[in-house]
Amino acid sequence: HVQLVESGGGSVQPGGSLRLSCVASGDTYTYNFMGWFRQTPGKGREGVAAINPGGGLTYYFDSVKGRFTISADNAKNTLYLQMNSLNPEDTAMYYCASTFLRYGCPRSQNEYDYWGQGTQVTVS
């Protein structure tokens, strides 16, 4: 099993920045991809970004391209999401997730096995 704990959420004004962190523990050797998702009340969980920490491959969903940056520190088993130019539409609970995928890049929440408890981001 993999345990994921997010932190770094908070309230920020439009145009501001936040950096989210996600620390992984447990069987960290079992995943090769990590991702960030977000969810607002009444809406489904949507993808934000994904990364292959070992190879550096990254993927961004259109809504955050050019504004958010996903990165990982393998020595610390930590995933990051640098969020710049935030706007009210970015308000959501943000979740990190991990999975093992042999081919391609996981973009759907259904492709991820382990999830954190989430951290709230509010832009207003």
Side-chain angles (χ1 to χ4, degrees):
H1 293 282
V2 178
Q3 293 79 43
L4 302 170
V5 179
E6 304 96 331
S7 61
S11 296
V12 64
Q13 293 183 341
S17 299
L18 280 175
R19 188 175 83 153
L20 305 183
S21 299
C22 172
V23 178
S25 61
D27 299 330
T28 58
Y29 60 89
T30 61
Y31 64 79
N32 64 346
F33 278 95
M34 299 188 79
W36 286 101
F37 289 78
R38 64 187 183 184
Q39 186 171 20
T40 55
K43 292 182 65 176
R45 194 168 292 184
E46 66 170 351
V48 175
I51 187 169
N52 165 232
L57 172 69
T58 59
Y59 178 83
Y60 296 93
F61 287 78
D62 289 345
S63 59
V64 305
K65 279 182 181 177
R67 300 188 299 123
F68 291 11
T69 302
I70 189 171
S71 63
D73 185 331
N74 294 329
K76 297 181 179 179
N77 289 327
T78 302
L79 176 72
Y80 301 100
L81 184 69
Q82 178 66 44
M83 305 186 294
N84 298 328
S85 302
L86 285 161
N87 58 61
E89 289 70 40
D90 296 316
T91 295
M93 184 72 78
Y94 283 71
Y95 300 88
C96 70
S98 68
T99 190
F100 179 86
L101 200 66
R102 191 174 298 277
Y103 301 107
C105 179
R107 304 175 188 180
S108 166
Q109 60 173 321
N110 296 325
E111 297 180 278
Y112 286 84
D113 301 315
Y114 296 100
W115 294 83
Q117 83 291 346
T119 186
Q120 178 68 37
V121 171
T122 302
V123 185
S124 64

